[in-house]
């Protein structure tokens, strides 16, 4: 089956809906069925559709193996409501489809949803206060001081820039020097945190602009700073305002489940107590005003799911690390504590069965997926996409919800560069380079290669090392001739191909010493004897 890869970009949820619809319409087997003494051609049974679609969703990397049969039924109900399918009498628009023998067919009209065209970019006008979003090429200029003045062309041609900068600082009034030092404001430092984090995120997602998936006005740099700098020894965010924290009774219930049965020795002993505690926790999270990943960041997290298509988990983890830093500290803290509880419950063999039909891991994913990810407007694939994301978050929660040290280093170093630039000529390097305009330190990512490519690179690297070793044996004057010949002989025995390429047979014959001819054989005379 031809599966189209939906790359990160705007309206990805709509594109995924169209992709699933296309695959279902093109691959679902249809045939003739008899029902109520009538023959219906080109149709299928609801049960057969559930079987086929469930297998498709489980094998698709956008949704994964955690999709349940009940979720597949819910998706088919949405297909019926959106006229992707209709019953054999041509009826649609309701959600009364059941997992039974009812017959359905495909309508003749196309059920694909139109992709909204992106809004035209607003051009800045002299009277407009809107800031144009910066591309990667504009980032370097962002981190220059606003008071930095360019030298004139004539000055640059006749005077050493370092000497002129020194003269300007020395001739500048003391009051102006103090004002120059104070111009690096807290607001500008916050902007540095924001732009460096978003630049790294844009590089990971591999898109031309983050404006396609994220409204920058919803990004608060103070959230990034708080989430990276105010954490406890366990890596969990600490809150300045305790009123935004989880209620005490919810924390107590979560600790009881996460450490079951070691949390409290005086626990109620009635059957089903742990199920009541679990329901209490789930009811609280579903009572929140919006999902933990917020409505504003929904499109961004949906696009991160596109990184799982190529099974490059490490890159997806890096992207989710940065995305979760954009959350409000209270939401990030709740997400951290929830994921830790879910992970511990799913691996706790001593935990009593919380559901009579499904296991602990599946229960965790499907119970809390709706309160972790969701859109402000109704989206048909919300439940399936949330299941995929929450499953990945739970499996890698320790790494994803930790502070990325490389980003902290990049921001710290750049802020240090900018602050040192306020000191005048001391901030310039030996070559007169302005440290204030130093480029941002971007986190590089390795390209995943196949096992065949890895083996080829490994062999090439080892051959290069052996060639270098042979060259040293041939050119190193500190090695005696006797020792050199001994080592070359060993090298030729172990690596004949490399040796023959460096020293062809013709050269070896020329350098081979000539063997002296044997001495003339002298006929032995008969020994003298007295008897003779």
């Amino acid at each position: 089956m031809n599966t189209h890869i939906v790359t990160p970009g705007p309206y990805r949820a709509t594109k995924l809906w169209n992709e699933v619809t296309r695959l279902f319409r093109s691959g679902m087997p249809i045939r003739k069925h008899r029902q109520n003494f009538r023959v219906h051609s080109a149709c299928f049974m609801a049960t057969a559709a559930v079987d086929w679609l469930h297998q498709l969703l489980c094998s698709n990397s956008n949704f994964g193996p955690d999709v349940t049969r009940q979720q597949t039924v819910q998706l088919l109900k949405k297909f019926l409501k959106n006229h992707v399918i209709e019953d054999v009498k041509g009826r649609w628009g309701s959600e009364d489809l059941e997992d039974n023998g009812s017959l359905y067919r495909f309508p003749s009209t196309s059920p694909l949803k139109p992709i909204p065209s992106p809004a035209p970019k607003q051009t800045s006008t002299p009277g407009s206060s809107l800031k144009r979003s910066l591309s990667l090429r504009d980032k370097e200029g962002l981190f220059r001081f606003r008071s930095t003045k360019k030298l004139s062309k004539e000055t640059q041609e006749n005077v050493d820039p370092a000497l002129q900068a020194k003269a300007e600082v020395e001739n500048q009034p003391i009051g102006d020097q103090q004002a120059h030092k104070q111009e690096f404001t807290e607001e500008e430092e916050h902007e540095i945190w924001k732009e460096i984090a978003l630049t790294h995120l844009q590089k990971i997602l591999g898109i031309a602009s983050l404006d396609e998936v994220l409204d920058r006005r919803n990004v608060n740099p103070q959230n990034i700073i708080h989430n990276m700098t105010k954490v406890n020894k366990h890596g969990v965010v600490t809150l300045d305002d305790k009123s935004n924290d989880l209620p005490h009774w919810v924390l107590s219930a979560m600790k009881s489940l996460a450490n079951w049965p070691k949390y409290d020795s005086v626990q109620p002993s009635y059957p089903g107590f742990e199920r009541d505690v679990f329901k209490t926790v789930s009811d609280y999270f579903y009572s929140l005003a919006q999902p933990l990943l917020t409505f504003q960041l929904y499109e961004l997290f949906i696009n991160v799911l596109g990184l799982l298509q190529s099974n490059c988990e490490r890159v997806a983890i890096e992207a989710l690390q940065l995305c979760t830093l954009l959350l409000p500290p209270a939401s990030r803290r709740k997400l951290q504590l929830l994921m830790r509880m879910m992970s511990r419950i799913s691996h706790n063999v001593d935990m009593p069965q919380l559901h009579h039909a499904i296991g602990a891991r599946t229960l965790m994913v499907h119970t809390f997926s709706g309160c972790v990810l969701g859109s402000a407007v109704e989206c048909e694939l919300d439940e399936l996409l949330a299941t995929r994301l929450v499953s990945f978050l739970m499996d890698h929660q320790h790494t994803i919800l930790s502070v990325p040290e490389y980003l902290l280093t990049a921001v710290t170093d750049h802020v240090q560069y900018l602050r040192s630039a306020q000191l005048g000529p001391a901030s310039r390097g030996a070559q007169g380079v302005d440290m204030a305009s130093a480029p941002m330190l971007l986190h590089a990512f390795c390209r995943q290669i196949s096992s065949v490519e890895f083996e080829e690179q490994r062999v090439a690297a080892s051959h290069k090392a052996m060639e270098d070793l042979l060259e040293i044996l041939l050119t190193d004057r500190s090695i005696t001739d006797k020792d050199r010949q001994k080592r070359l002989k060993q090298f030729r025995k172990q690596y004949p191909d490399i040796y023959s390429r460096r020293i062809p047979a013709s050269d070896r014959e020329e350098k081979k010493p000539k063997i002296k001819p044997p001495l003339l054989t002298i006929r032995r005379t008969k020994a003298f004897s007295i008897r003779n």
Side-chain angles (χ1 to χ4, degrees):
M1 184 177 297
N2 184 17
T3 302
H4 174 67
I5 297 179
V6 183
T7 57
Y11 311 109
R12 188 168 185 273
T14 303
K15 294 177 182 178
L16 284 174
W17 168 268
N18 288 342
E19 177 65 10
V20 174
T21 302
R22 181 186 68 84
L23 293 175
F24 181 63
R25 283 175 61 93
S26 61
M28 177 63 201
I30 56 177
R31 62 184 180 86
K32 182 168 57 176
H33 288 82
R34 181 184 297 273
Q35 188 180 66
N36 296 332
F37 305 103
R38 293 188 61 183
V39 176
H40 302 276
S41 61
C43 59
F44 52 87
M45 296 178 61
T47 301
V50 175
D51 293 337
W52 192 92
L53 185 58
H54 184 236
Q55 183 178 2
L56 170 68
L57 295 174
C58 290
S59 60
N60 191 298
S61 59
N62 291 300
F63 309 104
D66 291 316
V67 177
T68 63
R69 188 175 181 86
Q70 183 58 34
Q71 285 181 319
T72 307
V73 174
Q74 294 296 326
L75 180 57
L76 282 171
K77 289 184 177 182
K78 294 177 181 179
F79 278 174
L80 181 61
K81 182 179 180 181
N82 290 273
H83 206 194
V84 176
I85 59 176
E86 62 185 16
D87 67 9
V88 290
K89 295 182 180 181
R91 294 174 298 190
W92 60 278
S94 61
E95 295 186 354
D96 57 356
L97 184 145
E98 300 295 337
D99 189 359
N100 54 25
S102 300
L103 297 180
Y104 295 89
R105 67 189 182 189
F106 293 117
S108 58
T109 58
S110 174
L112 300 181
K113 293 186 177 181
I115 305 296
S117 58
K121 296 183 179 179
Q122 297 179 348
T123 56
S124 59
T125 59
S128 175
S129 60
L130 295 177
K131 293 184 178 180
R132 179 176 58 89
S133 60
L134 299 175
S135 63
L136 283 173
R137 295 181 179 179
D138 300 329
K139 299 300 183 189
E140 183 177 348
L142 171 71
F143 299 106
R144 297 178 183 270
F145 288 109
R146 297 176 182 176
S147 62
T148 303
K149 297 181 179 179
K150 294 184 178 179
L151 300 176
S152 64
K153 183 176 180 181
E154 295 79 5
T155 304
Q156 294 177 354
E157 292 176 349
N158 299 312
V159 183
D160 185 357
L163 296 177
Q164 182 169 359
K166 180 178 180 180
E168 288 180 354
V169 174
E170 292 177 351
N171 295 331
Q172 193 177 24
I174 297 178
D176 293 343
Q177 295 180 20
Q178 294 294 334
H180 178 71
K181 292 181 180 181
Q182 295 176 358
E183 189 159 350
F184 186 53
T185 63
E186 182 179 5
E187 181 182 358
E188 291 174 332
E189 183 177 352
H190 290 176
E191 192 68 16
I192 292 173
W193 280 84
K194 175 180 176 179
E195 291 301 329
I196 289 183
L198 295 183
T199 301
H200 280 78
L201 181 57
Q202 179 180 340
K203 187 177 181 67
I204 295 173
L205 293 178
I207 55 181
S209 173
L210 279 179
D211 296 337
E212 301 175 350
V213 297
L214 175 66
D215 188 351
R216 290 173 177 264
R217 293 173 297 181
N218 295 328
V219 178
N220 186 350
Q222 295 183 2
N223 291 346
I224 303 175
I225 299 173
H226 189 120
N227 292 332
M228 292 186 65
T229 58
K230 296 184 178 182
V231 296
N232 59 20
K233 63 180 181 179
H234 302 293
V236 180
V237 174
T238 58
L239 301 178
D240 298 330
D241 186 3
K242 301 300 182 182
S243 63
N244 295 327
D245 200 356
L246 288 166
H248 174 72
W249 55 272
V250 176
L251 278 173
S252 178
M254 294 177 68
K255 288 180 180 179
S256 176
L257 293 173
N259 300 285
W260 187 277
K262 301 179 181 179
Y263 176 65
D264 189 0
S265 58
V266 191
Q267 290 180 347
S269 57
Y270 68 87
F273 168 73
E274 63 283 347
R275 295 189 181 187
D276 292 342
V277 176
F278 181 73
K279 186 178 184 303
T280 300
V281 174
S282 63
D283 289 344
Y284 168 77
F285 279 98
Y286 275 99
S287 68
L288 298 176
Q290 62 175 332
L292 297 180
L293 299 183
T294 71
F295 292 138
Q296 293 79 11
L297 300 179
Y298 170 80
E299 191 70 28
L300 180 62
F301 282 100
I302 289 299
N303 277 274
V304 174
L305 285 175
L307 299 177
L308 300 181
Q309 294 185 7
S310 57
N311 297 322
C312 193
E313 291 185 351
R314 186 182 60 83
V315 179
I317 290 173
E318 299 277 3
L320 288 173
Q321 268 189 326
L322 297 177
C323 292
T324 53
L325 288 176
L326 308 182
L327 295 172
S331 297
R332 180 178 169 90
R333 175 177 171 82
K334 292 183 178 70
L335 181 65
Q336 287 177 312
L337 296 176
L338 176 62
M339 287 298 155
R340 294 189 177 207
M341 182 201 74
M342 293 169 58
S343 179
R344 290 188 180 184
I345 292 177
S346 62
H347 292 92
N348 188 358
V349 295
D350 297 326
M351 172 64 70
Q353 192 173 9
L354 297 174
H355 193 275
H356 68 281
I358 59 178
R361 173 189 165 81
T362 305
L363 179 64
M364 294 300 107
V365 173
H366 291 278
T367 299
F368 294 105
S369 59
C371 64
V372 173
L373 179 68
S375 58
V377 295
E378 183 181 0
C379 179
E380 285 76 9
L381 295 179
D382 263 358
E383 186 177 354
L384 295 176
L385 296 175
T387 299
R388 178 67 171 131
L389 182 61
V390 171
S391 176
F392 190 81
L393 278 173
M394 188 178 70
D395 292 340
H396 304 279
Q397 52 89 18
H398 182 73
T399 306
I400 291 174
L401 296 174
S402 62
V403 176
E405 295 297 333
Y406 72 88
L407 184 65
L408 187 61
T409 302
V411 175
T412 304
D413 290 347
H414 206 90
V415 171
Q416 185 177 359
Y417 287 151
L418 295 181
R419 284 178 175 169
S420 64
Q422 300 181 67
L423 302 179
S427 66
R428 297 181 179 272
Q431 304 298 328
V433 179
D434 189 359
M435 300 301 289
S437 61
M440 290 182 296
L441 302 177
L442 292 180
H443 187 58
F445 299 93
C446 300
R447 180 180 65 88
Q448 188 176 19
I449 62 175
S450 62
S451 58
V452 177
E453 290 178 302
F454 171 77
E455 187 65 22
E456 291 176 353
Q457 294 180 11
R458 183 186 66 81
V459 173
S462 61
H463 283 186
K464 182 63 171 60
M466 291 299 101
E467 290 172 358
D468 295 340
L469 176 60
L470 178 58
E471 197 66 29
I472 294 174
L473 293 177
L474 293 173
T475 59
D476 192 356
R477 296 183 179 181
S478 62
I479 304 177
T480 62
D481 292 341
K482 183 178 180 180
D483 195 16
R484 190 193 312 277
Q485 293 299 329
K486 181 180 178 181
R487 295 185 182 183
L488 288 174
K489 185 177 180 181
Q490 294 176 348
F491 190 95
R492 180 182 179 184
K493 183 178 180 180
Q494 295 181 0
Y495 307 100
D497 295 337
I498 300 176
Y499 186 87
S500 61
R501 287 199 302 268
R502 177 61 179 85
I503 308 176
S506 57
D507 295 346
R508 293 198 297 269
E509 290 177 358
E510 293 177 0
K511 297 179 181 180
K512 188 174 181 180
K514 295 182 179 180
I515 301 177
K516 295 181 180 180
L519 296 175
L520 296 176
T521 56
I522 303 176
R523 295 181 63 182
R524 294 178 60 185
T525 59
K526 197 172 183 179
F528 178 77
S529 174
I530 298 178
R531 295 178 181 178
N532 295 336

